[in-house]
Amino acid sequence: MRRVLVTILVVVSLQTVAANAASPQYLDQSWSDTDRQWFYTTPQGSKLIRYDWALALERASDETLFFADGLARLGYLPNAKDEKTNPDGLPVGFVRDRGLTVDHLGMTCAACHTNDLAFKGTTYRIDGGPADADLFSFLAELSESLTATSASQASPKFQRFAKRLGKNNLVSRTALYVELRKFSRDFADFVAATTSTTSWGRARADAFGAIFNRVTAIDLPPAPPSLAKNIPANNRMPNAPVSYPFLWDTSWHNKVQWDGSAPNQLAILRLARNVGEVLGVFADIKIRKPGFLHWYYESTAKRINLLEIEDRLAQLRSPHWPAAFPAIDTTKAAAGQAIYRAQCESCHKQATPGVLQDVVMTPLTDAGTDPAMATAASTRQAKTGILEGVPELILLGSKFGPTASAGKITFNAVLGAILSPIPDDWFLGAPSKAATKTALEVTSTRKGEGSENDLRNDLLSKLHQTLSKTHASSDADTNDPVKADLLQAQQSMAAAAPSTGLAYKARPLDGIWATAPYLHNGSVPNLRALLMKPALRPKTFFVGSRDFDPVNVGFDTAAGPDRFLFDTSIAGNSNAGHDWGTSLTNEDLEALLEYLRSL
């Protein structure tokens, strides 16, 4: 009965939004419909807000249910209702994450890495592309709605909220109000600490800043004898937003993230990257000082799902220029390819999907682009709290002092979550053999070791049998695959920082036509502008349209509803640098653009 009361209005609204949205045309990216929907709707352990609360919550300013438009106002994409995978018609990348007693609304990778573009009345889906969504405004609006709903127990807004949840007597409404009030205040504190004074806007987020804040300032307890639950002094304003990277081929790069700070050659490192991501989007983790009998951290991160997500993304390929777009001039594109090889290919190597590939790291001194993200990610320090004296890799490595790199503290947290012997679905039954077949392979098949690779059919038994043996020994044992992999992880982490200083990743450009705006911080609206001298690039432009501009290779940048004014004069938004290819003749410029369209 309560289920009906909670969803009777919002489900109808969400289903109407999903049904009325024109179905996109899916480009061939080597994914099946099953792969796609699995990516959109599989929980990864994100615990944003109680699920029934999310469906019952109104927007702050009126009686409209928060999810009535499927978050289209914020740039999130509709996803068709499906009784098995999406029964409430949630937007792409939003899921019901089930628990023992309480279900939560969670976010998945797809919320930030799926996009649509429109051309002449047809919408095209770009799986793995940078989302055009406004995460900053989503968090702010959700906090405002919670604050407005919990302002007074006697308010009509709270009374409507309680009624939708089936709280029909004073006792149950009072208990609900007390719980909502506490959650609202905690969420408001989180939002205040996780957002900056200037909005990130559409298609961007300071993911590193948010993750570092979450782990070091909220999840990490201080050292005894403090009775505090967290370390607010570790919080920093996340004011270095970057575009959401496109995901095709990423699984095969030796380094990921815009600054190349995440080594990616080993399964444990790829899993760590994904666990870190879900910690940044509201996964819970209990960090406690590791000891002999408790050398891990309990977390809601769903490692098996994250491994499967990574495996499916490894199959994703870049989209090709649609046949309905203006046809590629093959002669002009061939001339552009020669220019690309001369001007671009030394940094942006040809993509080799399915094969581990070393990407080029371009020193910031050469790139000349905005330094905020690379600087913040590499220089940020934090108090280590209860982790002081703990090995950086929990089982191995030098020990933390009173302060450490925020990146190393975060890696310690995600590694502790990975090592936990507690099953991901502890309360929902043991994982199936099929679900665990890709479990934490520490000698990856991507290294070409064939039959020597042990994929382990049982993550929870074989992995943790090995780990308990590893913890009891102090010396490296090359016959112990987990310990060997931890040692390799430590070496990879140490080698991740470029010896020449700060740098940005110059990744392969397959599918680059579908990923505007450009540069790591999204400060250049289209490829034509990127090939202009920096002084001639637009100083301001609007982000938020999905109308594709095939001439300039980007999106329409005019003002319009729900669009965000990008101002390159704001700190962190510089559109300077990357001046390769900016001195071409008009003829060569057009040829290079034609080749980039064809990638």
Side-chain angles (χ1 to χ4, degrees), residues 41-171:
T41 60
T42 295
Q44 57 178 354
S46 171
K47 307 288 185 182
L48 174 57
I49 181 177
R50 282 184 55 139
Y51 191 78
D52 52 354
W53 289 8
L55 296 187
L57 195 67
E58 297 175 353
R59 296 180 67 177
S61 59
D62 55 40
E63 298 181 30
T64 306
L65 291 171
F66 191 86
F67 274 88
D69 70 341
L71 303 183
R73 67 189 183 276
L74 301 173
Y76 292 98
L77 300 175
N79 192 23
K81 175 182 178 293
D82 182 276
E83 289 300 328
K84 292 183 178 180
T85 62
N86 191 26
D88 294 322
L90 295 173
V92 169
F94 287 81
V95 298
R96 182 176 189 168
D97 199 315
R98 298 183 182 275
L100 176 61
T101 58
V102 176
D103 295 348
H104 283 81
L105 180 74
M107 298 180 71
T108 79
C109 305
C112 299
H113 299 284
T114 310
N115 201 20
D116 281 354
L117 55 85
F119 183 70
K120 292 188 175 180
T122 300
T123 297
Y124 299 86
R125 174 60 47 85
I126 309 297
D127 285 315
D132 185 42
D134 191 341
L135 178 62
F136 189 103
S137 293
F138 169 65
L139 295 176
E141 281 197 22
L142 184 57
S143 182
E144 290 165 3
S145 292
L146 288 166
T147 299
T149 306
S150 63
S152 168
Q153 185 175 345
S155 71
K157 185 174 284 290
F158 176 77
Q159 293 296 317
R160 292 190 297 270
F161 177 75
K163 184 177 181 180
R164 293 187 189 104
L165 294 170
K167 307 300 183 182
N168 297 318
N169 60 67
L170 181 60
V171 173

Side-chain angles (χ1 to χ4, degrees), residues 24 26 31 49 87-88 125 148 200-201 218 238 309 324 331 387 443 479 481 514 540 576 599:
Y26 295 99
W31 263 7
I49 181 177
D88 294 322
R125 174 60 47 85
W200 303 329
I218 296 176
I309 288 171
T331 301
L387 294 184
T443 310
N479 293 320
T540 61
L599 290 178

Side-chain angles (χ1 to χ4, degrees), residues 27 102 106 199 255 261 269 286 438 482 596:
L27 302 178
V102 176
S199 174
K255 295 181 180 182
S261 60
L269 294 172
K286 295 179 181 179
T438 58
V482 171
L596 294 175

Side-chain angles (χ1 to χ4, degrees), residues 136-436:
F136 189 103
S137 293
F138 169 65
L139 295 176
E141 281 197 22
L142 184 57
S143 182
E144 290 165 3
S145 292
L146 288 166
T147 299
T149 306
S150 63
S152 168
Q153 185 175 345
S155 71
K157 185 174 284 290
F158 176 77
Q159 293 296 317
R160 292 190 297 270
F161 177 75
K163 184 177 181 180
R164 293 187 189 104
L165 294 170
K167 307 300 183 182
N168 297 318
N169 60 67
L170 181 60
V171 173
S172 62
R173 286 197 301 271
T174 300
L176 173 64
Y177 180 77
V178 171
E179 188 178 2
L180 178 68
R181 182 74 168 165
K182 182 182 185 305
F183 179 81
S184 176
R185 288 174 172 172
D186 290 346
F187 194 81
D189 290 343
F190 166 76
V191 170
T194 304
T195 52
S196 61
T197 54
T198 302
S199 174
W200 303 329
R202 302 284 285 257
R204 301 195 309 167
D206 186 349
F208 269 44
I211 292 170
F212 289 166
N213 281 351
R214 176 80 189 202
V215 173
T216 69
I218 296 176
D219 296 327
L220 178 64
S226 173
L227 298 179
K229 295 182 179 180
N230 49 31
I231 311 176
N234 279 344
N235 192 78
R236 301 288 184 276
M237 183 180 294
N239 56 3
V242 295
S243 295
Y244 300 116
F246 50 101
L247 297 185
W248 50 84
D249 303 342
T250 295
S251 185
W252 302 99
H253 297 170
N254 67 318
K255 295 181 180 182
V256 295
Q257 307 298 357
W258 286 110
D259 62 345
S261 60
N264 198 49
Q265 304 97 319
L266 305 172
I268 196 170
L269 294 172
R270 294 190 289 275
L271 181 56
R273 161 168 53 84
N274 289 316
V275 171
E277 172 266 326
V278 72
L279 289 181
V281 289
F282 318 110
D284 292 334
I285 186 171
K286 295 179 181 179
I287 300 176
R288 55 184 289 185
K289 198 176 188 73
F292 179 74
L293 298 178
H294 200 286
W295 32 260
Y296 57 88
Y297 309 136
E298 297 170 21
S299 168
T300 62
K302 296 182 182 297
R303 295 159 293 176
I304 294 172
N305 284 357
L306 291 170
L307 285 164
E308 179 66 15
I309 288 171
E310 185 71 22
D311 282 351
R312 296 203 186 207
L313 284 171
Q315 306 305 316
L316 184 67
R317 298 293 179 261
S318 59
H320 293 292
W321 187 263
F325 283 19
I328 300 291
D329 183 326
T330 55
T331 301
K332 187 184 291 186
Q337 183 179 32
I339 297 168
Y340 183 89
R341 287 175 174 170
Q343 297 262 358
C344 313
E345 197 170 52
S346 61
C347 291
H348 297 286
K349 302 294 186 182
Q350 195 75 19
T352 56
V355 178
L356 191 64
Q357 179 173 9
D358 289 348
V359 295
V360 175
M361 295 302 301
T362 304
L364 186 57
T365 51
D366 293 340
T369 49
D370 193 292
M373 184 270 176
T375 302
S378 65
T379 62
R380 181 166 169 177
Q381 299 287 303
K383 295 179 180 180
T384 54
I386 62 166
L387 294 184
E388 184 174 355
V390 171
E392 292 179 358
L393 297 183
I394 299 182
L395 303 174
L396 299 165
S398 56
K399 294 182 178 180
F400 282 123
T403 62
S405 157
K408 288 186 176 181
I409 294 173
T410 300
F411 188 73
N412 176 280
V414 300
L415 186 59
I418 290 171
L419 301 184
S420 173
I422 299 175
D424 294 345
D425 47 5
W426 181 260
F427 300 112
L428 300 176
S432 66
K433 291 291 184 180
T436 59

